[in-house]
Amino acid sequence: MTMGKRAPFVVGITDHMIPPPDLEAAVLDGCAEVDFLDTRREEDLDPERLARLDALLVWSTRIGPATVAKLPRCRVVVRFGVGYDKVDVAALEAAGIPFCNNPDYGTEEVADHAVSLLLSLQRRLWEHDARARGYSTTWQANTLTPLRRSSAATVGVVGVGRIGTAVVNRLKPFGYRILGYDPQQPAGHEKAVGYHRVRRLDELLGESDIVTFHCPLTPETRGLIDADFLAKLKPGALLVNTARGEMFAGLDPLEAALRSGQVAAVGTDVLPTEPPAPHPLLDAWRRRESWLEGRLVVTPHNAFHSDEAAIEMRRNAAETARLFLEDGVLRNRILP
């Protein structure tokens, strides 16, 4: 589908969460025509349409070496979102095609979502809600313990980049003691932002009542949350994950930790497989089994979303492509 007036460039869009790509076409108007490929399956991408592209915007379609080989004219590939585990950056780089992601949207939304999960789990709101349905002769006396006040609890933030920093800033007024682990941040970052930096992840796990994840999916973080990781947690810790589902080494270790009480509760926006494949833990969650009710909170990978963020995401990605096609300026470039 061609949109917009005739222009010197052609920008392809693989697929879209919110079609049609009219906002992108408006941003690119006068610079490029838009070809909406409209497929989430890499094998269904049309080689002839790929061959005429000067830039490619990617939502959820995998971009592997076979697709890269079909992009002879392409000058840049841009991901709508932050994560890029479905894009073969090395193959693009070998073909001389720079790759850019889109990290500067939805920061507020993900941070708000993470803190909302964290506070609701720490205050045991979901458990109170589940149990209160059965109270009849008593009411206010039905309290849950342990239930720590915020100023008596320690939060460990794994990854203190844009979103992690936003989380720290939101948590500080509550009085939490905040630990941060992020080898990628420069010396003194903790002083500028206001958290206590730890040099070893194990130190954070052993001291934190709540652990929240804000790091990218890399070879080091894939499968990070395994049985060994969970065993190092402070007993009864809370986990919040608004980063990547593949950081879970499957759901078996998580189920075991929840059943044993090593992990008191989990709030997650992401799962190892989405939509989720059948698993005993998720089956128990769906059935609202008493042992788990209120202890596992799952949202459908939409922490990034708000009406404003959706517009910001789309506009930013299209502007990144236009900026490079017209001015040769690369922003948010990712190297292999």
Side-chain angles (χ1 to χ4, degrees), residues 27-58:
V27 171
L28 293 162
D29 188 38
C31 167
E33 66 176 77
V34 171
D35 186 3
F36 184 35
L37 305 173
D38 197 15
T39 179
R40 298 191 175 195
R41 286 163 44 93
E42 182 178 20
E43 56 269 32
D44 292 340
L45 291 169
D46 185 340
E48 292 186 5
R49 294 169 75 179
L50 292 175
R52 61 191 293 267
L53 300 182
D54 297 287
L56 179 63
L57 304 186
V58 180

Side-chain angles (χ1 to χ4, degrees), residues 286-297:
R286 288 189 174 97
R287 290 193 295 262
R288 295 180 178 268
E289 291 185 8
S290 58
W291 73 272
L292 187 62
E293 193 163 15
R295 298 178 60 213
L296 176 62
V297 179

Side-chain angles (χ1 to χ4, degrees), residues 137-156:
T137 58
T138 61
W139 189 250
Q140 190 177 3
N142 292 287
T143 58
L144 295 172
T145 188
L147 204 163
R148 310 286 303 281
R149 65 172 47 162
S150 301
S151 60
T154 297
V155 177

Side-chain angles (χ1 to χ4, degrees), residues 161-190:
R162 291 176 179 86
I163 295 171
T165 294
V167 167
V168 171
N169 287 335
R170 282 157 171 73
L171 291 177
K172 284 188 289 187
F174 289 92
Y176 292 104
R177 175 180 177 241
I178 304 172
L179 307 180
Y181 173 76
D182 192 334
Q184 303 303 316
Q185 298 307 322
H189 183 261
E190 69 280 8

Side-chain angles (χ1 to χ4, degrees), residues 212-295:
T212 179
F213 299 91
H214 304 286
C215 44
L217 185 66
T218 66
E220 291 75 26
T221 62
R222 185 182 294 275
L224 174 70
I225 308 171
D226 59 9
D228 182 60
F229 178 98
L230 296 169
K232 294 175 181 176
L233 288 169
K234 190 174 181 179
L238 308 174
L239 292 184
V240 173
N241 186 1
T242 55
R244 287 292 174 190
E246 294 90 338
M247 290 175 60
F248 290 118
L251 295 177
D252 288 349
L254 198 62
E255 180 184 11
L258 281 163
R259 285 189 179 277
S260 72
Q262 173 67 7
V263 171
V266 175
T268 186
D269 185 55
V270 290
L271 293 167
T273 303
E274 297 173 358
H279 186 276
L281 178 63
L282 296 180
D283 293 343
W285 168 72
R286 288 189 174 97
R287 290 193 295 262
R288 295 180 178 268
E289 291 185 8
S290 58
W291 73 272
L292 187 62
E293 193 163 15
R295 298 178 60 213

